[in-house]
Amino acid sequence: MLLWQTQSNELPLLELFLVFTTAVFFFHFYVDWRQLQALKIKSPPKEVEGTDLADPAEFSKTRQYSIDKWFFSAYQSCYSLLETWAIFLFGALPYAWRLSGTLLHQAATLMGPIFWPSSTQAVTNMLTEEGNTLSQCCQSAVFVLLLIYAQTLLSLPWSMYFTFVVEQRHGFNKQTPRLFLWDALQSVILIGIFAPPLTMAITYILIWGGTWLPFYLCGFMLCMSLLFMTIYPTLIQPLFNKCEPLPEGSLRSKIEALASSLEFPLKKLFTIDGSKRSAHSNAYMYGFFSNKRIVLFDTLVNSCTEEECVAVLAHELGHWKLGHTMMLFSGMQVYTLIQFSLFAAIRSSPHLYSSFGFGAELGTPAIVSLLLFLLVISPVDEVLSFLLNIVSRAFEFQADAFAAGLWYGKKI
């Protein structure tokens, strides 16, 4: 059944969302098209004189790679727009909620005799009874898993094409199909482990949060962010990459000297085997307070001189020294609190549900109200994203200037 219909004089939220999404698509396409015209210029600009890009062969390779990525992104964006229209016009979200309830009831019925034989019917009713908090938390977990897995499946062909065609064509891909699928399988398993309890916790907060709901939600999201920032490098990333201490030597001494000169509390220095998936280079740092760690991709260490590696880290440490990471993180926490405050004001509106096809027979599931609110507020998020890009660009220039001030300007 198509949902493109306005049944009252209320604000047509679904129609406005789709129109805005389409307008954003065309705006981004116009901006990207202007970028494509710049990429079609075959001679290096004066700004890159004295760098590797000034070499005609190197510039041509970089230019062609950027053009190929442009066309891939354009086709993917067109598909994404059509997918979005199909999802909402054909009522995929209400269908997913109904399906999650059916699957939950069937699972409870099948597992009851095995796990709770003495009270099968009572527990099954508790898990599937409409209006029950536990039932809604469980159904919400199944609902979110369905959405995530469906999106993962739909995006898999695009990911495979980019990896094994675009990246392969330009010599960046180092993955085998087996490794790619193994990574995908591990990601699916991790989602299955972490998504249900997180969804159930959020649903419980939504149901019982009351007046302090925005603060509870914001506090929970902050705690989860800090938790995953802690466990990702130690528990999750080792499933995908091998991390080893950077060997003693000249490079390690130079990095430690740079960190010491900036009073960066470096505790550990690692390399990671990024080369088994990609030829792209990267470096990052993580940790809290006086327990900081730096990770270098082996592609960076192997393809750059020691001075260039240190220059890359000087840029990254510039972000830390100038407080960019903390400013962006704090700003996002404030915006999240504002978002949740607005959500608390409209979450109980029946019109929010009916606009997206959730009829009265489906009730007012808490997790759905949050999802729909995030869709309705997407225009504000688009403006915020634009402003964040401006701020982020300014921070990048500041970090470059910081590194240049440390005599690494020519190496960046």
Side-chain angles (χ1 to χ4, degrees), residues 22 34 97 239 256 270 299 343 408:
T22 306
R34 289 172 59 90
W97 181 256
L239 298 174
E256 290 174 341
F270 297 104
T299 46
F343 166 68
Y408 294 110

Side-chain angles (χ1 to χ4, degrees), residues 69-88:
K69 287 201 303 180
W70 188 96
F71 278 103
F72 173 82
S73 177
Y75 290 132
Q76 187 180 37
S77 297
C78 291
Y79 168 80
S80 180
L81 178 66
L82 294 175
E83 179 187 281
T84 299
W85 274 76
I87 286 173
F88 289 100

Side-chain angles (χ1 to χ4, degrees), residues 35 114 137 238 370:
Q35 178 65 23
I114 301 174
C137 287
L370 180 58

Side-chain angles (χ1 to χ4, degrees), residues 99-127:
L99 179 60
S100 63
T102 301
L103 292 176
L104 179 63
H105 186 275
Q106 291 178 348
T109 302
L110 290 173
M111 293 188 299
I114 301 174
F115 294 101
W116 45 84
S118 62
S119 54
T120 298
Q121 191 59 48
V123 175
T124 300
N125 290 341
M126 183 173 62
L127 289 174

Side-chain angles (χ1 to χ4, degrees), residues 354-372:
S354 61
S355 294
F356 290 87
F358 284 83
E361 75 281 1
L362 295 180
T364 55
I367 198 68
V368 170
S369 67
L370 180 58
L371 174 61
L372 298 181

Side-chain angles (χ1 to χ4, degrees), residues 209-224:
T211 306
W212 295 94
L213 175 64
F215 296 96
Y216 291 147
L217 281 176
C218 195
F220 177 78
M221 299 304 292
L222 174 60
C223 291
M224 290 302 100

Side-chain angles (χ1 to χ4, degrees), residues 4 13-29 77-88 356 374-380 382:
W4 184 276
L13 296 180
L14 172 61
E15 292 84 342
L16 288 175
F17 166 72
L18 291 175
V19 169
F20 177 79
T21 300
T22 306
V24 168
F25 165 80
F26 281 110
F27 172 75
H28 283 298
F29 188 85
S77 297
C78 291
Y79 168 80
S80 180
L81 178 66
L82 294 175
E83 179 187 281
T84 299
W85 274 76
I87 286 173
F88 289 100
F356 290 87
L374 294 176
L375 295 174
V376 171
I377 205 174
S378 57
V380 179
E382 186 64 29

